[in-house]
Amino acid sequence: QVQLVESGGGLVQPGGSLRLSCATSGLAFSTYAMGWFRQAPGKEREFVVAINTVNGVSSEYPSSVKGRFTISRDNAKNTVYLQMNSLKQEDTARYYCAARKLYWRRSWSDYEYWGQGTQVTVSS
């Protein structure tokens, strides 16, 4: 059974940092591209960033998070991370990780597997 489990979310003040983790099992992690998406109440699910299978090359970051968020993966641990710095209130959302074979995509519907999400709330 394939499982993706996000963790690391929580309540943080503006300007703070969080590191999200997505631990996977049941799939050949090193052959899957991994993506992070987020969804705020009343809004569409938004692509954040993705990373490819082995060499770790990531997608371009949207302007909304560029310079603040960083994706990485540890194939030995079957885990992908999202480091979030200088958090803003507009970053408040539920964050999901997703997996698909070989190449990342920006559309959530192109991914094969999803985690349950972890909530990030940025508030003073």
Side-chain angles (χ1 to χ4, degrees), residues 36-40 42-48 94-98 106-109 114-116:
W36 285 99
F37 293 78
R38 66 184 183 181
Q39 188 167 24
K43 295 186 177 181
E44 297 290 326
R45 190 167 297 186
E46 176 189 14
F47 175 80
V48 179
R94 191 165 184 86
Y95 285 72
Y96 300 87
C97 70
R106 292 185 176 89
S107 297
W108 62 267
S109 61
W114 289 85
Q116 80 289 346

Side-chain angles (χ1 to χ4, degrees), residues 36-101:
W36 285 99
F37 293 78
R38 66 184 183 181
Q39 188 167 24
K43 295 186 177 181
E44 297 290 326
R45 190 167 297 186
E46 176 189 14
F47 175 80
V48 179
V49 68
I51 190 167
N52 70 9
T53 56
V54 177
N55 63 18
V57 176
S58 65
S59 68
E60 287 287 320
Y61 293 81
S63 60
S64 58
V65 305
K66 188 175 183 179
R68 301 187 297 117
F69 289 13
T70 304
I71 190 171
S72 62
R73 67 188 295 158
D74 187 337
N75 287 345
K77 296 182 178 180
N78 297 332
T79 301
V80 64
Y81 305 94
L82 184 66
Q83 179 67 45
M84 305 186 296
N85 299 325
S86 301
L87 284 162
K88 305 174 181 179
Q89 288 185 338
E90 53 261 44
D91 296 319
T92 295
R94 191 165 184 86
Y95 285 72
Y96 300 87
C97 70
R100 74 181 308 276
K101 273 292 192 72

